[in-house]
Amino acid sequence: MHNELKITDMQTLESNKKTTEESINTNPLNLPDFTTDSYKDAYSRINAIVIEGEQEAHDNYISIATLIPDELEELTKLARMEMKHKKGFTACGRNLGVVADMEFAKKFFSELHGNFQIALEKGNLTTCLLIQAILIEAFAISAYNVYIRVADPFAKKITEGVVKDEYLHLNYGQEWLKENLSTCKEELMEANKVNLPLIKKMLDQVADDASVLAMDREELMEEFMIAYQDTLMEIGLDNREIARMAMAAIV
Ligand code: PL3
Ligand code: FE2
Ligand code: FE2
C-alpha cells in the first residue's frame, strides 16, 4: 500500500514536470509566434494601417476644429493624443523589426478619407463627426480590444493605453451628436448609409492579415457592433433607428 502510493506520487511528479516543460515550449497563453516571416509580413500592413489611421485621426480633429472654432482647445487635445498613438504604434513595429507598408495603408483609407474631405469642404460637421469620432473610433476600439488579447507584451502595454483614449474620442462625438440630435439626425442617417459599408469593406480587407496575428474576424465585428450600437443608444436613437443604421452594413 505504502509502496503503491509512492509510485503514484512519482508519476504525478513526472507528469507535472512534463506539463511545465510543454507549457514553456508551446506558450502558455496561446499567443502567435511574433518572430515568423508570415507574422511580420501581415504586421507590416496592419501596423501601417494603424499608423496611418492615427495620423489621419489627428488631421481630422484639426479639420473638425475649423468647423467648431469654440472647440479648438478640446479638439487640439484629442489631435495630440492621436500623434502619441502614432508614435506608440511606430515603436511596436520597430520592436518587432517590421517596416510598415505605408503605401498600402494610404490606399486602405483613401475612400473614407475622400468622403471626409468632401464633407469638410461642404461644412457638413455631422458627417465629419460620424466618420471620425464614431465610425473610425469604433473601428479602432474593436481592433485594439481584440489585439490586446494576442499582442506581444510590448505592444499590449502600448495598446492598453491607447484604447482608453479612443473611448474618450468616441465619447466626444457622441456628446456633440446627442446635444444636436434634433437638427442632425437626418444627415447622421444619410452619412451612415454611405460610410458604414466602407468600414465593413475595410474590415473584410484586413481580415486575412488580422487572422495571422490571431485576431478573429467575428470577434472584430462583434466588438465593433458593441461600441457602435452603444454609442448610437447614448446619442438618443431608439432601437428601430439603431437597427436601421446597423443594417447599412449588410445591404
Ligand atoms: C483613431 O484614433 C485611430 C484609427 C485607427 C484605425 C485602426 C483600424 C485598425 C484595423 C486593423 C486591425 C488590427 C489592429 C492591430 C493593432 C496593432
Ligand atoms: Fe488614436
Ligand atoms: Fe482616436
Side-chain angles (χ1 to χ4, degrees):
M1 187 66 184
H2 186 74
N3 260 352
E4 256 176 44
L5 255 176
K6 268 237 139 91
I7 287 163
T8 314
D9 283 347
M10 288 289 286
Q11 280 170 340
T12 309
L13 211 68
E14 193 56 33
S15 87
N16 276 345
K17 195 174 144 216
K18 204 169 151 219
T19 312
T20 309
E21 274 167 8
E22 266 171 9
S23 13
I24 287 167
N25 292 340
T26 58
N27 207 330
L29 294 163
N30 237 343
L31 296 176
D33 183 343
F34 310 112
T35 64
T36 63
D37 284 346
S38 67
Y39 189 92
K40 289 186 180 185
D41 174 58
Y43 205 86
S44 72
R45 285 178 295 279
I46 298 237
N47 186 228
I49 286 171
V50 171
I51 291 169
E52 176 65 21
E54 297 292 355
Q55 177 66 54
E56 292 199 18
H58 164 273
D59 301 348
N60 290 348
Y61 285 118
I62 297 292
S63 297
I64 289 169
T66 67
L67 302 179
I68 349 176
D70 283 0
E71 295 280 295
L72 179 65
E73 204 181 318
E74 186 63 24
L75 286 160
T76 306
K77 249 190 241 163
L78 302 192
R80 268 202 212 108
M81 291 184 204
E82 304 297 18
M83 288 317 278
K84 214 177 104 203
H85 300 168
K86 182 187 173 185
K87 277 200 194 112
F89 287 124
T90 303
C92 294
R94 199 186 311 124
N95 180 52
L96 294 177
V98 170
V99 179
D101 185 347
M102 296 312 296
E103 203 181 312
F104 173 86
K106 279 216 158 53
K107 269 189 234 140
F108 181 83
F109 279 104
S110 60
E111 233 181 315
L112 201 58
H113 178 81
N115 285 355
F116 182 92
Q117 294 307 318
I118 292 167
L120 181 64
E121 267 168 45
K122 291 186 181 164
N124 291 345
L125 176 56
T126 297
T127 303
C128 289
L129 283 173
L130 174 82
I131 291 177
Q132 175 55 48
I134 309 296
L135 295 180
I136 296 182
E137 297 295 355
F139 188 35
I141 285 169
S142 67
Y144 300 165
N145 275 333
V146 175
Y147 180 56
I148 282 166
R149 299 166 199 160
V150 291
D152 66 84
F154 180 83
K156 181 174 154 73
K157 211 166 160 218
I158 285 177
T159 311
E160 279 168 348
V162 170
V163 80
K164 283 199 195 104
D165 291 344
E166 308 302 13
Y167 279 107
L168 297 177
H169 302 172
L170 186 69
N171 208 263
Y172 179 86
Q174 176 186 298
E175 290 309 305
W176 192 93
L177 293 166
K178 183 178 183 170
E179 273 166 40
N180 297 277
L181 189 61
S182 58
T183 53
C184 74
K185 205 176 198 171
E186 214 172 308
E187 185 185 329
L188 184 71
M189 298 276 187
E190 189 49 39
N192 179 77
K193 209 172 198 165
V194 176
N195 292 292
L196 183 61
L198 294 185
I199 296 287
K200 169 72 171 22
K201 206 161 95 183
M202 289 159 82
L203 198 129
D204 286 338
Q205 271 177 40
V206 83
D208 284 347
D209 283 330
S211 79
V212 176
L213 272 51
M215 296 170 66
D216 180 54
R217 186 175 175 278
E218 312 286 307
E219 228 176 301
L220 284 164
M221 277 181 44
E222 197 175 287
E223 290 285 344
F224 176 84
M225 277 314 201
I226 291 170
Y228 174 75
Q229 291 179 329
D230 210 55
T231 305
L232 297 182
M233 199 191 71
E234 291 292 336
I235 288 173
L237 297 161
D238 66 30
N239 278 343
R240 185 175 304 276
E241 290 166 326
I242 294 171
R244 212 177 281 151
M245 284 179 77
M247 208 105 81
I250 54 171
V251 288

